[in-house]
Structure formats: structure tokens, C-alpha cells
Amino acid sequence: MTSLIAPETTAPPRAPDHREPPTRGRALELQGFRGLAVLSTVVFHVWQQYYTYDAAGSHPPVDSPYLGALLSLEVIDLFFVMSAYLLTLSYARAAIDGKEGSVRPGRVFLFRRAIRILPLYFLAVLVVWSTRNPTLPGDWRDLVEHLTFTHVFDRERIFYTLGPTWSLSLEVAFYLVLVALGPLAVRACRGLRTRRARVALCASGCAVLFAVPLAWIYGAHYVLGVPHTDWPVYFGPQARFGGFAAGMALAVLLTALGDDRGRLRARWTTALSAAALAGLLTLSHLSAPENFAQTFYHPIAAVLWFALLYATLHIRHRERQRVRWHGLLRARWATAVGLISYSLYIWHEPVMLWLGTSGLLPSAQAGFPVAVLVAVLVALAVGTASYWCVEYPASLLGRAKDSRGRAREFYPETTTTR
């Protein structure tokens, strides 16, 4: 899924210069990214619970502003950039290099995305909503909005039931945009004679998709004076699509470069990764209510995640093993957490809230590290069970159709030979 298209070249192919196939290494590193990001999300929401939602209003878990910047670092834009990168790759290859056989029909794409997210999501919504609404009709509007992914447009209910799942509303919106614009880009590129023109067209489209949310945010905040607490204005797809546009641009860039051009040496990938991470921490540190860093936090963060992912994905093959950052991303514990990242993301907030209401989390400021440890361990256990009992079995339904949308034919195994 993360393989790259080789550039047009007359040079003979070179033998592999490392033991691990490049696509396998990149897949592991992206899975490690997901593992680290979802753990950071769990810690962030525990931090929010202690700091932002404390009844006294003055319950900071840490005194250091730099550690606070690390704890409060939001990684949701990383999920958006990675998702858009992976899902746009086939369209980028088709548009730029004419590899149209790699593009699945829209109905197949949407079917597989639905199999990926809906069974677990619907189950979690129904379980959590029913426990919080023991008598009918309950808050039926909240249930309907969550089941239709429209809660992101409701200022009051956007964070009800499963708070973090407002981001899934944006994911679904991105899927619809991609299956609409992707084939259009492929058809538009057919009429262009040069590869450079095709790359320019695709890159320009990504730039426009990134610029639209910037204009929306600027108009909402600086022209209309809409406060940041008007959640649908700043959390809706019209404001947050920049993360997806950055991921689409990354797919276009790496497809344009191919498998050889523009690859970084170890020292350059280390420097670029460090600079991107430092930028993200600085952005988190500078972000304050109603200032520039908070207003444009997510578009800026998307650019920095773009740089970090580029440094991670486009390093020279033989130097990949020399970068410690890559070793961390490929560590078994990080990739194992990445495997269950979706289940962990879905369940961690209700687990955290249940632990709090049950008195299993400390309430004093000094107990914050213990609260993080307990919440992470219990959420990991629940996420693991959810993956193997719900998410993985549901994913097997994706094998019911082939890449062209035709139903697969299954034949019983036999040992008879002719």
C-alpha cells in the first residue's frame, strides 16, 4: 500500500541494497507512527481531563510549560495527513504515470472504507449512548447525528457520546471528496503530454484544497470575529481539510520523485525530522486562546507533519537502518499498538471516563502520572480485545469483493488430483 512508482528512466534497475523490502519498511514505520500517535492521544485526553475540565478550573498537572506543550500536542492532523497520503497514492500514480489499473472503482473504495470503520464505530456508539441514555427516547438527536457522522456540525453535541470521533466525520467527508476528485484528476491528466505538466496539475489541485481552509479560517476569525469555541466553524471539514490536502500533496510529491530521486541521506532525514518535531512543539507551546498560533494551528501542524513524513518515507534505502527514529517506529511495541490504533482511539475516552467515575483514577494533581499509566494500560487491554473480537473479523468481509468490485468465488479445498 505504501510502495512508490519508479520514475521514468533509461538506467538499468539496481539490485536491492538492504535486506528489508522498502515497501515493508515504510509500512512498518507508518504503523509505528499510528501507534505513537494514538498513545499520545490517550495521554492528551487524560491531560485535558485534569487540566481543562477540572471543576476548580485551576488543576494543571505539570508546572513546566515545555512539558505542558509536549502533553498538549495534538496529533489529529498526523492521522489526516497519513490517511490522505495512503488513499491518494493510487490516484497519484494513475494521474502522473498512467497506472490506472491501481485505482479501484469508487464503489469498491467506499465499500472497503465502510468495512474498515463502520462495524466497530456503530457498536461503540450504540454501547456508549445506551449506557448514558438508559431510558428512551434519550437524546435521540445525538444518536442520529453520530450514526450519520453529522455531529461535527452540531455545536452542542459535537463531543457527545464518543468525543474524539468528530474526526471520523471529516474522514468520511474526505472519502467522498477523493472518489469525486480523484477520477477527475486522472481524466484531466490524460490530455497532458508531459509528466511535468501532470505533476504540476496535481500539485496545483492540492494547493487549492489547502488554501480554501486557510481562507475560511481567516474570514471566520479575523473578518467575522467567530470565537474558537464555535466548534463547527473550526472543526468542520471546511476548516480542517488542510490536513488531508497536505497528505494528498505528499502522495503527489513522492509519486513524482519516484523510488530513487530526492531520497535523503541519514543525516538530512534526522535533521529534517528534528526540525519538524521542534516546530510542532514550538507551535504547541506558543498556542494560546485567540492568538495566531491557535487560529492557524492545524494548517501549520499539517505542513510540519508533511515534512516529518517525507523525511521518514523518502530516505535512502541503505541508510534507513542508521536512523534511530526509524528504529523506534519499527519497534515491535510501537507497531503492535499501531495495529490496534483504531480500536484504541474509539474506546479510550469512554474507558477513561469510566475509570474516573468509578474512583479508579487519582483526583489530586500529584496523581496525574498514575492516572495516565492506569488509563493507558486499561485502554490498551480494551483496544486489543476490540481489535481481535470486532475489528479484525469485520475486516475479513473486505475479501468478499476483488479489486474491481466483483464477488469472489470460493472453492472448497481438496486433496484430489487429476
Side-chain angles (χ1 to χ4, degrees), residues 187-202:
R187 286 196 291 271
C189 286
R190 288 174 187 164
L192 302 177
R193 295 183 177 181
T194 66
R195 192 172 189 270
R196 180 174 296 181
R198 297 192 293 270
V199 171
L201 177 63
C202 294

Side-chain angles (χ1 to χ4, degrees), residues 88-156:
T88 306
L89 267 177
S90 60
Y91 289 106
R93 294 168 182 164
I96 294 172
D97 290 323
K99 307 293 185 180
E100 298 189 23
S102 62
V103 178
R104 296 190 181 102
R107 66 183 185 281
V108 178
F109 172 85
L110 294 176
F111 170 76
R112 296 199 174 190
R113 287 289 88 198
I115 291 299
R116 177 72 180 88
I117 68 172
L118 293 185
L120 176 58
Y121 174 74
F122 284 163
L123 173 65
V125 167
L126 292 173
V127 168
V128 176
W129 185 88
S130 62
T131 58
R132 297 178 185 174
N133 295 266
T135 59
L136 296 177
D139 191 347
W140 61 268
R141 182 174 174 181
D142 173 50
L143 178 62
V144 171
E145 288 180 353
H146 273 78
L147 293 178
T148 56
F149 296 98
T150 56
H151 53 295
V152 72
F153 302 110
D154 188 328
R155 181 176 181 180
E156 179 184 356

Side-chain angles (χ1 to χ4, degrees), residues 63-83:
D63 296 324
S64 169
Y66 303 104
L67 182 56
L70 177 61
L71 292 173
S72 61
L73 177 65
E74 295 185 57
V75 297
I76 190 63
D77 298 290
L78 172 60
F79 288 118
F80 292 160
V81 175
M82 280 198 298
S83 177

Side-chain angles (χ1 to χ4, degrees), residues 47-58:
W47 176 87
Q48 263 194 334
Q49 195 68 17
Y50 270 68
Y51 179 70
T52 307
Y53 304 131
D54 178 65
S58 58

Side-chain angles (χ1 to χ4, degrees), residues 73 273-286 297 300-301 304:
L73 177 65
S273 298
L277 289 171
L280 287 162
L281 289 174
T282 301
L283 182 64
S284 180
H285 175 65
L286 295 177
Y297 180 97
I300 298 172
L304 293 171

